[in-house]
Amino acid sequence: MYREMDRTWAQGAAKKLIEKMQVVTARSKEKIPYRTQDGVFDDCSDDAHIGWWTNGFWGGEMWQLYHLTGEEMYREAALLVEEKLDAVLLRYQDMDHDSGFRYLPTAVAHWRVDHNEASKNRGLLAAANLAGRFNLQGQFIRAWNDFGNIDRRGFAIIDCMMNLPLLYWASEVTEDPRFEMIARAHANTCKKAFLREDGSAHHIVNFDIATGDMKEAVGGQGYGVGSSWTRGQAWALYGFTLSYLHGKDPEYLAAAKASADYFISCIPESGPIPVDFRQPRDVTWEDSTAAAIAACGLIELYRCLIKDAGEGWTPDAEKYLSAAMKLLRTLDEQRCIWGTESDALLTKCTAAYHDAEHEFTIIYGDYFFIEAIMKLLEKELFIW
Ligand code: GLY
């Protein structure tokens, strides 16, 4: 399915990855990391941080590494995360649209490995909560809960395309189409309201919560309204690809291709990905997470097209794989700490353009970089 040179790259990366992660996991396995400080992972296991949306990704890394190596240490670390996240299931205020990010790489990944009832129960509770966020009139899944003094009841965000696979999974295991119907309705709304003519995507759209009408696009984690937040674009291209994978609706394939083509057209010659494709020219802030997520989405899109062509070659598919490899090689050669001096892998990750801090390490950058390597090795535990 992959070119020889891409498999060779992935094998080399996996060797370095295993060497590093054996050491890092041994010293961090009881944590739920978000980022490093002076090379050492922090820990979001405590009551104040357990609800943070990124808390599933360390579990996801552990499941991928367990799948690759069979080493118990990784499975044990993944199970610890899953148990800790039970606290969140009981906290209405912490449960938001990011349930997919929390529970697909943890409870659902565990269920995929051994079909145990406890993990299935966790996944279904999370899916039911996610489905309950659906605004029937506007046909969208509400994003965040209320905090501060901004009214977010009508906010939907492009990131949520990546949470829909929790609903697809729930319909599959319950043989009840309700969850999938909600996922498809949200994806249809996203396609109409978020994707612009050129394939770029809004981050946030605000809907009237009573009439369901689109009121406005709102500036989010990118530069501003009308800009092009690179991680949001990566969520769009991977998210629409996954909706296509689950439902085979050609509308989602078209949306995935439009998002991907736009992303590819913006990749700088030098390789690293900025925080926003439309940030001011004198701003050099990067976001390696966007590169890693986009690479995963592009590989998955490549796989869909190859499968649709009966495992045959198509020029379109090749274009997506080549772009993914450019992103991954850039990360490997320029933005990766392969030694054990840091617990994290990727450097220059940025959570949001207007945050005070930019270009640090972030757990989901590492997760998606590992997922991309696993895809190329054909050893991935499929999470989405
Ligand atoms: N909410 C997901 C992100 O920051 O990309």
Side-chain angles (χ1 to χ4, degrees):
M1 170 166 274
Y2 299 107
R3 304 171 300 194
E4 188 57 39
M5 61 185 173
D6 304 329
R7 273 202 303 272
T8 305
W9 176 84
Q11 282 157 358
K15 189 168 175 296
K16 292 186 279 186
L17 178 68
I18 291 168
E19 276 167 22
K20 174 172 176 132
M21 292 309 290
Q22 273 172 340
V23 177
V24 169
T25 307
R27 66 189 180 208
S28 316
K29 64 178 192 295
E30 297 195 354
K31 296 180 176 178
I32 303 185
Y34 169 58
R35 59 171 294 174
T36 52
Q37 297 282 2
D38 300 323
V40 179
F41 272 146
D42 62 359
D43 184 8
C44 293
S45 302
D46 62 304
D47 198 57
H49 299 95
I50 193 66
W52 187 228
W53 75 274
T54 66
N55 282 351
F57 290 107
W58 176 246
E61 283 189 33
M62 296 296 101
W63 280 119
Q64 296 296 358
L65 289 162
Y66 176 67
H67 211 237
L68 182 63
T69 65
E71 280 186 37
E72 253 334 280
M73 167 174 68
Y74 298 120
R75 184 183 158 92
E76 284 165 14
L79 295 186
L80 272 181
V81 179
E82 182 180 342
E83 281 163 25
K84 287 179 190 174
L85 289 186
D86 280 353
V88 188
L89 282 171
L90 289 175
R91 285 161 52 156
Y92 183 75
Q93 183 58 24
D94 281 344
M95 292 292 286
D96 60 17
H97 65 287
D98 278 335
S99 280
F101 285 133
R102 293 187 186 90
Y103 294 99
L104 284 168
T106 54
V108 177
H110 186 186
W111 179 84
R112 291 192 201 280
V113 170
D114 64 16
H115 282 60
N116 76 88
E117 280 303 311
S119 297
K120 179 173 155 186
N121 182 46
R122 291 173 171 123
L124 288 177
L125 283 172
N129 183 281
L130 182 60
R133 305 184 68 79
F134 189 64
N135 180 307
L136 187 61
Q137 197 64 21
Q139 299 278 291
F140 69 89
I141 293 173
R142 175 180 170 173
W144 304 285
N145 294 323
D146 293 322
F147 57 93
N149 52 11
I150 298 173
D151 179 2
R152 294 184 173 80
R153 290 173 299 170
F155 278 17
I157 64 175
I158 193 67
D159 324 24
C160 193
M161 285 301 302
M162 284 298 292
N163 288 307
L164 302 185
L166 181 64
L167 301 176
Y168 296 127
W169 169 81
S171 270
E172 197 185 302
V173 296
T174 58
E175 296 181 24
D176 179 338
R178 282 177 301 143
F179 301 98
E180 182 181 349
M181 285 168 176
I182 288 175
R184 288 175 62 87
H186 179 84
N188 293 342
T189 302
C190 258
K191 185 170 183 292
K192 276 202 295 261
F194 283 73
L195 281 196
R196 307 178 186 123
E197 280 281 297
D198 62 358
S200 68
H202 297 298
H203 179 202
I204 304 173
V205 170
N206 189 16
F207 296 91
D208 185 300
I209 54 169
T211 66
D213 294 337
M214 175 176 166
K215 292 205 299 196
E216 61 197 337
V218 180
Q221 284 159 258
Y223 178 62
V225 183
S227 76
S228 175
W229 179 45
T230 55
R231 192 163 65 253
Q233 194 65 31
W235 294 139
L237 90 83
Y238 199 2
F240 278 113
T241 301
L242 291 168
S243 275
Y244 176 66
L245 185 71
H246 287 285
K248 289 288 162 202
D249 182 335
E251 290 279 308
Y252 301 149
L253 181 61
K257 282 177 152 184
S259 310
D261 291 344
Y262 171 80
F263 194 102
I264 292 171
S265 74
C266 296
I267 297 175
E269 200 45 48
S270 58
I273 296 300
V275 180
D276 194 307
F277 285 131
R278 297 177 189 163
Q279 66 196 26
R281 276 166 191 264
D282 58 342
V283 174
T284 58
W285 294 327
E286 292 176 24
D287 181 16
S288 298
T289 73
I293 296 159
C296 286
L298 291 166
I299 296 171
E300 207 53 54
L301 184 52
Y302 163 83
R303 294 212 293 213
C304 285
L305 295 173
I306 291 283
K307 279 197 195 117
D308 288 354
E311 302 295 324
W313 181 89
T314 75
D316 235 15
E318 195 75 10
K319 169 180 76 179
Y320 297 126
L321 181 62
S322 295
M325 292 312 302
K326 179 175 166 75
L327 294 170
L328 293 173
R329 285 177 189 277
T330 301
L331 291 175
D332 173 17
E333 289 158 19
Q334 301 180 37
R335 299 291 179 261
C336 203
I337 309 165
W338 285 114
T340 52
E341 67 274 24
S342 171
D343 287 340
L345 275 165
L346 296 188
T347 62
K348 297 204 175 219
C349 302
T350 297
Y353 185 93
H354 291 288
D355 280 358
E357 198 183 350
H358 305 91
E359 302 190 331
F360 47 102
T361 66
I362 303 184
I363 194 71
Y364 47 86
D366 289 5
Y367 171 76
F368 283 101
F369 187 56
I370 293 172
E371 186 184 293
I373 295 168
M374 297 290 289
K375 283 185 195 296
L376 295 169
L377 292 174
E378 298 188 68
K379 290 277 171 59
E380 173 190 18
L381 174 65
F382 194 75
I383 296 285
W384 312 105

